[in-house]
Amino acid sequence: MKPLKIGIAGLGTVGAGVVKLLAAQKELIAARAGRPVMVTAISARDKSRDRGVKLDGLTWHDDALALAHDPEVEVVVELIGGSDGKAKALAEAAIAAGKHFVTANKALLAVHGVALARAAEANNVTIAYEAAVAGGIPVIKALREGLAANKVSRVAGILNGTCNYILTTMREDGRDFADVLADAQALGYAEADPSFDIDGVDAAHKLAILAGLAFGARIDFAKLHIEGIRRISAIDIAFAEELGYRIKLLGIAEQTEAGISLRVHPTMVPVEKPIAIVDGVFNAVLLEGDFSGPVFLRGRGAGEGPTASAVVADLIDIARNIRVPVWGMEESALEDLPITPTSELASAYFVRLSVVDEPGVLADVTAILRDHGISLESMIQHGRAPGEAVPIVLVTHDTKEAAVNAALAGIAALPAVLEPPALIRIEPK
Ligand code: NDP
Ligand code: HSE
């Protein structure tokens, strides 16, 4: 049987993982693909680096763009990363040359995915990107194919393994943020620039992709509301435990009365919800289809093996000539939906203040909340430290975010409030 010939650009955690997996599961993959899947050419920056995989006999290209013009390459697999630069140039060149394009690059898809889909349609080739969202979880296939008959009203999930690993380890071992981030980098979970992980950008890239598929919409990445986990402290994690929540970085895309809302932020999730106990590098995605009902997927969200598994699944589909439109429908059928700003959304909130322990502080704080129509569900202050800093936690009833923001601006300006208030949204029970 004629093999499917692939060229791989990028031989880091994922690229080397793909080479390893293709060798280890050669017969199984040939059986599932109906023919062998064979690496013929490769490219990375440093030709001399030992990558722990056998690369003998493969054509090395100093410039990854040469893969697009190599007659021995039918499918270009881009595992470099980055929304622009070489990765984008390679996508465009491969598609223009009539080659299928497989990638794990969520930044590229989130920012340029619609234009690339248009080009792929014009050139009658496929773009496959299962590995771009939630590592080893086949969520693209689930959403684009398994739930194709549904209107999807909500997608919510833990979409960044690095952040989930950090939050879990901080909670379980009481270790410092920076120390745990270094572990996640050593394990190959983090992006080349780890601020993409901890500032929520990577999760937002993945959310934009899921939202595009779920709602059949062109998503403007610049319109997403993005908050990361830098400001989550050990004290917030401890208060969350006390109140019966776990702090998770969630990506949430949902239909609203006026359009759709797209946001990534730390969230207090009630411990009894399945997503609250998804820990470590695991990701989870909850999809709400109108006929299917809720579908919950959980698995490893980053790392060599899970990500390579997703890349190779795409290659097997291509070998079998299984083609699905990039966004689940032709690009011209996608809609431009209005984005509802977070200020218009309502939720319960966890607010932590650091205040001077002195008479009248709480009266000033609650007066501001009253003036903005905000009702409290509970309040915690432990111990006493007259004249010194103490943490106070306030939990609100459902409130419009615009009102909370306005109240917090007033509270932050009180002389007894020592730091900017910490604000975390609470998922309903
Ligand atoms: P790495 O940083 O480990 O590897 C990147 C590779 O790209 C390296 O081999 C590097 O070469 C090569 N490279 C960089 N610039 C160029 C260039 N200009 N031309 C050719 N090659 C280049 O990244 P990962 O493997 O972790 O990630 C790759 C992609 O997969 C990214 O899009 C990432 O977001 C995505 N991804 C990663 C996951 C993970 O768990 N790591 C999970 C899911 C997706 P050299 O080795 O010579 O320096
Ligand atoms: N840096 C990403 C994460 C890799 O930690 O989830 C998987 O996309």
Side-chain angles (χ1 to χ4, degrees), residues 11-14 44-46 49 51 79 81 104 106 188 191 302-303 307:
L11 295 167
T13 303
V14 185
R45 276 178 304 206
D46 181 354
R49 178 175 296 175
R51 299 166 191 282
L79 302 170
K106 48 275 167 135
E191 295 304 299
T307 314

Side-chain angles (χ1 to χ4, degrees), residues 8-12 14-16 42-44 51 64 67 77-80:
I8 302 180
L11 295 167
V14 185
I42 48 175
S43 176
R51 299 166 191 282
L67 292 169
V77 182
E78 182 274 309
L79 302 170
I80 295 173

Side-chain angles (χ1 to χ4, degrees), residues 403-415:
V404 171
N405 287 337
L408 289 191
I411 289 170
L414 292 172

Side-chain angles (χ1 to χ4, degrees), residues 249-261:
L249 184 75
L250 291 192
I252 302 171
E254 58 195 350
Q255 281 184 327
T256 64
E257 278 171 22
I260 53 173
S261 132

Side-chain angles (χ1 to χ4, degrees), residues 147-411:
L147 296 178
N150 288 262
K151 283 186 187 149
V152 176
S153 56
R154 189 172 199 259
V155 177
I158 296 173
L159 299 174
N160 185 270
T162 301
C163 286
N164 207 38
Y165 180 82
I166 292 173
L167 291 172
T168 302
T169 313
M170 284 173 74
R171 189 189 80 241
E172 288 178 347
D173 302 346
R175 286 171 58 201
D176 285 344
F177 185 96
D179 184 28
V180 186
L181 171 60
D183 278 5
Q185 287 177 288
L187 288 163
Y189 301 159
E191 295 304 299
D193 177 353
S195 64
F196 273 55
D197 295 293
I198 59 186
D199 291 330
V201 178
D202 177 76
H205 285 144
K206 294 165 182 167
L207 184 71
I209 294 171
L210 294 180
L213 287 169
F215 306 134
R218 291 182 196 87
I219 302 295
D220 177 355
F221 183 71
K223 300 244 169 81
L224 269 74
H225 174 91
I226 308 174
E227 291 171 37
I229 63 166
R230 269 183 213 269
R231 292 197 61 212
I232 301 296
S233 63
I235 192 172
D236 294 323
I237 292 173
F239 275 121
E241 289 283 289
E242 185 176 340
L243 289 161
Y245 297 100
R246 293 271 162 87
I247 301 178
K248 297 288 175 191
L249 184 75
L250 291 192
I252 302 171
E254 58 195 350
Q255 281 184 327
T256 64
E257 278 171 22
I260 53 173
S261 132
L262 303 167
R263 54 211 163 89
V264 171
H265 51 65
T267 310
M268 295 258 187
V269 183
V271 279
E272 54 274 17
K273 293 225 165 181
I275 212 161
I277 51 167
V278 174
D279 281 337
V281 73
F282 280 78
N283 282 190
V285 188
L286 182 62
L287 307 165
E288 305 266 1
D290 55 352
F291 277 72
S292 64
V295 175
F296 186 69
L297 302 165
R298 173 185 181 276
R300 286 183 187 275
E304 179 186 292
T307 314
S309 155
V311 171
V312 175
D314 281 343
L315 292 169
I316 292 172
D317 273 357
I318 291 173
R320 285 272 184 205
N321 208 18
I322 296 170
R323 307 272 200 97
V324 185
V326 180
W327 294 103
M329 56 182 73
E330 301 303 309
E331 186 276 328
S332 57
L334 297 173
E335 288 187 87
D336 294 297
L337 299 173
I339 309 288
T340 306
T342 48
S343 55
E344 292 301 310
L345 302 177
S347 151
Y349 296 87
F350 164 100
V351 176
R352 181 178 49 79
L353 307 174
S354 176
V355 301
V356 184
D357 190 357
E358 63 188 16
V361 175
L362 210 50
D364 291 344
V365 168
T366 50
I368 293 175
L369 294 174
R370 178 203 59 211
D371 293 348
H372 289 87
I374 297 170
S375 160
L376 285 183
E377 186 207 88
S378 60
M379 201 212 89
I380 307 176
Q381 180 188 341
H382 292 308
R384 248 211 108 199
E388 290 179 33
V390 284
I392 291 182
V393 163
L394 309 169
V395 176
T396 75
H397 287 295
D398 274 4
T399 306
K400 228 183 186 185
E401 191 150 322
V404 171
N405 287 337
L408 289 191
I411 289 170

